[in-house]
């Protein structure tokens, strides 16, 4: 069973609307939790990095939150733009050897 | 500053052959990590190199190997290719080893095994 589960698998939203992506993990503690954005045909780009003790981290219209008690993280996209259409991947880094555990990703499609 | 570059961008090989992929990190970055991405398995970590030494390794068979040169450039080799090795191979560089450092990904090499 994957240690990082993302939901939904895909979603479609209208331009200008907000959306929230979920990441549930079973491992604890961890070194950090990251959210990546990956455009089709390109490598992932880091959006946010949070340590175990952080609750929220923002990067422009992207805000990630972390609840260590429920082992959940979410990525909120505000006022979506067409360029937000991409796959969003949640990654948890486990100590001590920095083993990486990846979620399967959520594909977001923004329509005009 | 130039980003991470990977060559070649696309590659078609036959089962049983071997392949070598190359990655040039961002100038000043000394750590290079390799990942395999497939539609079925998603992103999977292959290995990480720092200062010419393998620091971390994922759960891949020994057919997958890599190395890093003194200029931090890295190569990844896959021997005896199988159809299941068809994937996007991504390389990421960071200032130092360990994922507390920001990782910057290259565009990837699309490998197709026929």
């Amino acid at each position: 069973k994957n240690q990082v589960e993302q939901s939904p698998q895909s979603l479609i939203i209208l331009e200008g609307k907000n959306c929230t992506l979920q990441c549930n993990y079973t491992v604890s503690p961890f070194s950090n939790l990251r959210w990546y954005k990956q455009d089709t045909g390109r490598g992932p780009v880091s959006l946010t990095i949070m340590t175990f003790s952080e609750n929220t981290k923002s990067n422009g219209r992207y805000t990630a939150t972390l609840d260590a008690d429920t082992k959940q993280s979410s990525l909120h996209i505000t006022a979506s733009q067409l360029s937000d259409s991409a796959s969003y991947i949640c990654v948890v880094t486990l100590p001590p050897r920095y083993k990486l555990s990846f979620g399967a990703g959520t594909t977001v499609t923004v329509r005009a | 500053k130039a980003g991470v570059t990977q060559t070649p961008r696309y590659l078609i090989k036959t089962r049983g052959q071997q392949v070598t992929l190359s990655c040039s990190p961002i100038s000043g970055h000394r750590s290079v990590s390799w990942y395999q991405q497939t539609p079925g398995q998603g992103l999977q970590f292959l290995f990480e190199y720092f200062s010419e030494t393998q620091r971390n390794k994922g759960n891949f068979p020994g057919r997958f190997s890599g190395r890093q040169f003194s200029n931090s450039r890295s190569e990844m080799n896959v021997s005896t290719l199988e159809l299941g090795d068809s994937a996007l191979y991504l390389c990421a560089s960071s200032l130092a080893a360990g994922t507390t450092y920001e990782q910057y990904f290259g565009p990837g090499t699309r490998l197709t095994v026929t």
Side-chain angles (χ1 to χ4, degrees):
Chain A
K1 188 180 189 297
N2 197 359
Q3 295 173 314
V4 180
E5 300 282 350
Q6 290 188 245
S7 63
Q9 186 175 16
S10 64
L11 68 92
I12 299 172
I13 59 173
L14 292 176
E15 189 178 14
K17 298 296 185 182
N18 304 334
C19 69
T20 300
L21 315 180
Q22 297 292 341
C23 173
N24 295 337
Y25 58 92
T26 59
V27 293
S28 180
F30 54 81
S31 296
N32 56 63
L33 186 148
R34 299 165 179 255
W35 282 93
Y36 284 97
K37 177 189 177 189
Q38 185 174 22
D39 294 316
T40 301
R42 307 188 71 168
V45 174
S46 180
L47 292 175
T48 63
I49 306 172
M50 288 185 292
T51 63
F52 190 75
S53 60
E54 292 181 292
N55 299 119
T56 186
K57 186 70 69 78
S58 291
N59 179 358
R61 294 179 297 101
Y62 301 101
T63 300
T65 61
L66 177 62
D67 186 333
D69 292 331
T70 60
K71 297 184 179 179
Q72 291 182 326
S73 176
S74 63
L75 180 70
H76 187 73
I77 305 176
T78 303
S80 60
Q81 300 176 359
L82 296 178
S83 59
D84 293 329
S85 294
S87 178
Y88 293 83
I89 303 168
C90 173
V91 184
V92 176
T93 309
L94 310 174
R97 295 289 296 170
Y98 305 113
K99 183 179 185 300
L100 299 168
S101 192
F102 294 89
T106 293
T107 300
V108 174
T109 302
V110 181
R111 290 191 176 158
Chain B
K1 187 182 278 190
V4 178
T5 57
Q6 292 187 244
T7 57
R9 291 293 312 279
Y10 302 92
L11 203 52
I12 300 175
K13 289 286 188 178
T14 305
R15 272 181 301 175
Q17 288 186 314
Q18 75 165 16
V19 66
T20 299
L21 312 181
S22 180
C23 171
S24 292
I26 292 172
S27 177
H29 285 194
R30 296 172 61 193
S31 175
V32 172
S33 298
W34 288 90
Y35 301 85
Q36 181 195 67
Q37 188 174 34
T38 60
Q41 298 294 322
L43 264 170
Q44 294 182 280
F45 172 69
L46 281 158
F47 26 65
E48 178 186 26
Y49 285 88
F50 176 72
S51 293
E52 302 177 64
T53 302
Q54 188 179 87
R55 292 258 310 178
N56 204 356
K57 188 177 187 301
N59 298 322
F60 277 81
R63 299 186 298 108
F64 292 81
S65 64
R67 59 178 176 169
Q68 187 180 33
F69 302 95
S70 58
N71 61 359
S72 295
R73 190 177 68 86
S74 178
E75 287 182 347
M76 191 194 90
N77 185 76
V78 187
S79 62
T80 319
L81 284 166
E82 301 176 359
L83 293 178
D85 295 334
S86 294
L88 180 67
Y89 289 89
L90 293 160
C91 154
S93 79
S94 58
L95 277 171
T99 55
T100 54
Y101 293 91
E102 185 67 71
Q103 285 194 317
Y104 297 86
F105 282 83
T109 293
R110 173 73 63 184
L111 172 64
T112 301
V113 181
T114 62

